[in-house]
């Protein structure tokens, strides 16, 4: 199994996908950072809390979890796209072993995305207000938000990989993840917040300590995320075992 995971890890870092996703995620988070810093300066000038501005900037790095999930989905679906998944199953010894190895590698990649988000998020908190003459105010809440940003990136990666196993097609998997994260889940939250708080991406809002109302307590949010990942695991495993590979 160790050699299989090592081989999948080599596949994950082959090509340009991993660093393009990291670059795109960083760019999007930086745009949000500059927006919060600009708005925060006006808020602080009007008597607002500098600590709240720092927390908003830290929270803006949560979007990295979308790119972490995309990396997991692409890790799986590109083998279907290139037609190499059958060969990978033969080399792995079984379909279950390949599924386990890819999810493990996707999770490790998610940890890298999370470290990138938490690290750059810390720097953004420290320096984003400097052009406006504002100083960062780190509190316990700031560090909890950054820890939540890291956790969401880690948890989003296996979610993307499992959806990749279920959907198989790369374009469909990427479109599904983006639609769920940016359209469906926020839309359900606006229409039915009591039900939406159990959705995976809305539960992640609790983990990175969003200030929106009607969110689950953090322990229950982790339980909801675990439920979604468990359901996706069984669905992916079932479909992989019963459908043709190619």
């Amino acid at each position: 199994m160790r050699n299989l995971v090592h081989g999948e890890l080599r596949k994950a870092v082959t090509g340009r996908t991993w660093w393009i996703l990291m670059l795109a995620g960083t760019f999007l988070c930086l745009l949000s950072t500059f927006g919060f810093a600009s708005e925060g300066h006006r808020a602080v000038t009007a008597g607002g809390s500098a600590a709240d501005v720092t927390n908003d900037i830290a929270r803006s790095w949560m979007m990295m979890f979308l790119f972490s999930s995309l990396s997991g989905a692409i890790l799986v679906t590109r083998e279907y796209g290139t037609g190499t998944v059958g060969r990978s199953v033969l080399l792995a010894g079984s379909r279950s072993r390949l599924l386990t190895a890819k999810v493990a590698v996707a999770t490790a990649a998610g940890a890298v995305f999370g470290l990138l988000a938490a690290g750059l998020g810390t720097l953004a908190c420290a320096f984003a207000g400097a052009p406006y003459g504002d100083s960062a105010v780190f509190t316990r809440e700031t560090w909890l938000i950054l820890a939540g940003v890291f956790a969401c990136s880690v948890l989003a990666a296996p979610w993307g990989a499992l959806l990749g196993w279920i959907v198989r097609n790369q374009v469909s998997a990427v479109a599904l993840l983006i639609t769920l994260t940016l359209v469906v889940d926020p839309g359900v939250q606006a229409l039915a917040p009591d039900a939406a708080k159990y959705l995976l991406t809305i539960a992640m809002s609790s983990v990175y300590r969003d200030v929106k109302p009607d969110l689950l307590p953090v322990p229950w949010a982790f339980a909801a995320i675990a439920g979604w990942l468990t359901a996706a695991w069984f669905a992916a495993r079932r479909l992989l075992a019963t459908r043709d590979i190619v």
Side-chain angles (χ1 to χ4, degrees):
M1 190 67 184
R2 187 174 62 179
N3 290 337
L4 177 57
V5 170
H6 180 71
E8 292 300 324
L9 188 59
R10 292 287 299 272
K11 291 179 186 176
V13 297
T14 299
R16 297 174 293 180
T17 302
W18 63 274
W19 65 261
I20 288 176
L21 287 174
M22 287 185 176
L23 194 62
T26 300
F27 177 72
L28 186 61
C29 293
L30 280 175
L31 284 180
S32 298
T33 290
F34 291 135
F36 280 117
S38 175
E39 292 294 326
H41 174 68
R42 284 192 280 271
V44 170
T45 303
S49 168
D52 288 345
V53 176
T54 303
N55 291 341
D56 285 339
I57 292 173
R59 207 172 281 116
S60 69
W61 287 81
M62 62 84 182
M63 280 305 298
M64 191 66 81
F65 84 73
L66 171 60
F67 296 89
S68 177
S69 67
L70 294 178
S71 75
I74 292 173
L75 177 67
V76 173
T77 55
R78 69 180 177 185
E79 293 229 29
Y80 283 102
T82 57
T84 58
V85 63
R87 185 171 57 192
S88 294
V89 168
L90 291 175
L91 292 174
S94 75
R95 300 181 184 192
S96 295
R97 279 169 55 86
L98 183 62
L99 182 147
T100 302
K102 282 195 177 294
V103 171
V105 170
T107 305
V112 176
F113 275 87
L115 288 173
L116 179 69
L120 293 180
T122 303
L123 293 174
C125 289
F127 299 111
Y132 306 98
D134 297 332
S135 300
V137 178
F138 284 87
T139 62
R140 179 176 179 272
E141 181 69 11
T142 310
W143 297 114
L144 289 175
I145 291 169
L146 290 169
V149 167
F150 169 79
C152 288
S153 294
V154 175
L155 294 169
W159 170 247
L162 291 168
L163 284 188
W165 280 115
I166 294 170
V167 176
R168 297 190 173 192
N169 180 273
Q170 188 169 107
V171 174
S172 299
V174 169
L176 177 62
L177 284 167
I178 292 175
T179 303
L180 285 175
T181 303
L182 301 181
V183 180
V184 176
D185 288 5
V188 175
Q189 187 183 30
L191 296 173
D194 285 340
K197 61 187 177 184
Y198 297 101
L199 298 175
L200 183 131
T201 61
I202 306 304
M204 285 184 175
S205 301
S206 299
V207 175
Y208 63 78
R209 305 177 74 81
D210 203 327
V211 294
K212 292 177 181 175
D214 302 316
L215 295 179
L216 291 171
V218 173
W220 284 107
F222 276 115
I225 295 168
W228 280 101
L229 290 176
T230 302
W233 170 270
F234 281 108
R237 195 166 184 269
R238 173 68 178 170
L239 292 173
L240 184 61
T242 56
R243 294 161 66 189
D244 290 338
I245 287 291
V246 294

